[in-house]
């Protein structure tokens, strides 16, 4: 039920928050001796900072190389959806009749039951809805840039570095580089992400779309209610509360 799903979501968010905080806490406790080991190493802190900067640039570049093909595939799906939408609506859903459905489903003269007809129409409506989604939720280089820049390093990077065995060569250096990459990513990308979103993406009309959807749902529910009353020959006034006096 929705009540349980909301409760589970809140509980898992709290567990996630505690685990991420624990990773950063452990890293903070380890940072003292990690810095001492790095200073004693022949690389030094300056070299570690240089390696961390290169690693941060590489993580952003690799994420971009992964996101760009996905954006291209999504746009290709949008183009195909635009070409198919009108054909599906005008050639399949609108002219279709129950006799046409009988021929398409069974290709014979037997009558098709109402459930099969409703299932057939529902499946096609779902396809059209998917196509409308691809047509309206387009993605371009602006959305791709935001997706790439939003890929910040954090607790997973630190946890992965801390799982290195103790005998790993230059383990302290690798852990310190991971810490610098995570810190720089959260500070640089995290602090500039709201500005980048406002700069690249237009204001969302989600509230307007939600109001329209609610109006459509209310209208459909009202029509279904009156249809049910007409089917049972009931007067709508009988649903209103009236005093026994």
């Amino acid at each position: 039920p929705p009540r349980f799903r909301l409760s589970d979501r809140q509980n898992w968010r709290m567990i996630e928050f505690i685990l991420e905080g624990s990773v950063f806490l452990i890293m903070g406790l380890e940072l003292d001796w990690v810095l001492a080991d790095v200073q004693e190493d022949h690389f030094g802190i300056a070299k570690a900072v240089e390696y961390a900067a290169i690693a941060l640039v590489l993580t952003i570049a690799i994420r971009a190389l992964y996101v760009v093909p996905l954006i291209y595939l999504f746009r290709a799906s949008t183009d195909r959806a635009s070409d198919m939408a009108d054909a599906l609506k005008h050639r399949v859903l609108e002219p279709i009749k129950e006799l046409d459905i009988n021929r398409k489903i069974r290709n014979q003269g037997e009558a098709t039951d109402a459930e099969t007809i409703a299932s057939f129409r529902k499946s096609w409506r779902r396809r059209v809805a998917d196509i409308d989604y691809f047509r309206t939720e387009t993605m371009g280089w602006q959305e791709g840039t935001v997706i790439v820049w939003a890929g910040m390093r954090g607790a997973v990077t630190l946890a992965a570095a801390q799982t290195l065995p103790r005998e790993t060569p230059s383990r302290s250096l690798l852990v310190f580089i991971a810490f610098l990459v995570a810190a720089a990513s959260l500070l640089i990308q995290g602090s500039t992400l709201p500005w980048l979103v406002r700069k690249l993406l237009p204001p969302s009309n989600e509230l307007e779309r939600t109001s329209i959807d609610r109006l459509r749902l209310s209208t459909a529910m009202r029509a279904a209610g009156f249809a049910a009353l007409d089917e049972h020959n009931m007067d709508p006034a009988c649903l209103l509360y009236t005093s026994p006096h």
Side-chain angles (χ1 to χ4, degrees), residues 190-209:
S191 61
T192 58
L193 184 60
W195 172 84
L196 186 67
V197 171
R198 291 193 299 267
K199 195 73 174 178
L200 294 181
L201 301 183
S204 175
N205 58 347
E206 191 66 28
L207 292 177
E208 180 181 354
R209 291 171 56 184

Side-chain angles (χ1 to χ4, degrees), residues 10-185:
Q10 293 174 355
N11 290 334
W12 280 114
R13 284 179 179 175
M14 179 58 65
I15 294 174
E16 180 182 2
F17 175 76
I18 294 174
L19 292 176
E20 289 182 350
S22 301
V23 170
F24 282 99
L25 178 61
I26 295 173
M27 186 62 211
L29 296 174
E30 292 181 351
L31 193 58
D32 189 16
W33 62 264
V34 167
L35 280 173
D37 289 348
V38 172
Q39 288 176 345
E40 294 177 359
D41 200 343
H42 66 278
F43 287 100
I45 295 180
K47 205 67 176 178
V49 173
E50 181 181 347
Y51 288 157
I54 296 174
L56 180 60
V57 173
L58 285 177
T59 56
I60 297 175
I62 292 173
R63 184 175 176 87
L65 291 176
Y66 180 78
V67 170
V68 169
L70 294 181
I71 298 296
Y72 175 78
L73 293 175
F74 192 89
R75 294 191 65 177
S77 300
T78 303
D79 295 337
R80 289 196 301 269
S82 299
D83 296 336
M84 294 174 58
D86 295 334
L88 283 176
K89 287 182 178 179
H90 296 294
R91 299 180 183 179
V92 177
L93 288 181
E94 292 181 358
I96 205 165
K97 306 294 182 183
E98 291 190 5
L99 294 178
D100 296 329
I101 296 175
N102 289 338
R103 290 196 299 268
K104 291 178 181 296
I105 295 178
R106 296 188 176 182
N107 195 22
Q108 56 189 10
E110 299 180 5
T112 306
D113 54 32
E115 292 184 0
T116 305
I117 295 174
S119 176
F120 182 80
R121 295 180 66 87
K122 181 179 179 181
S123 63
W124 280 102
R125 288 196 188 98
R126 186 175 299 170
R127 295 184 186 181
V128 173
D130 292 340
I131 291 174
D132 290 337
Y133 170 80
F134 280 109
R135 295 178 68 181
T136 56
E137 300 294 333
T138 57
M139 297 189 70
W141 68 268
Q142 297 95 335
E143 290 81 5
T145 303
V146 172
I147 292 175
V148 171
W149 198 247
M152 292 168 279
R153 306 298 96 191
V156 176
T157 300
L158 296 180
Q162 291 169 0
T163 57
L164 292 173
R166 291 289 181 181
E167 61 273 12
T168 302
S170 301
R171 180 183 184 276
S172 298
L173 177 65
L174 296 174
V175 172
F176 184 60
I177 290 175
F179 178 80
L180 291 179
V181 169
S185 175

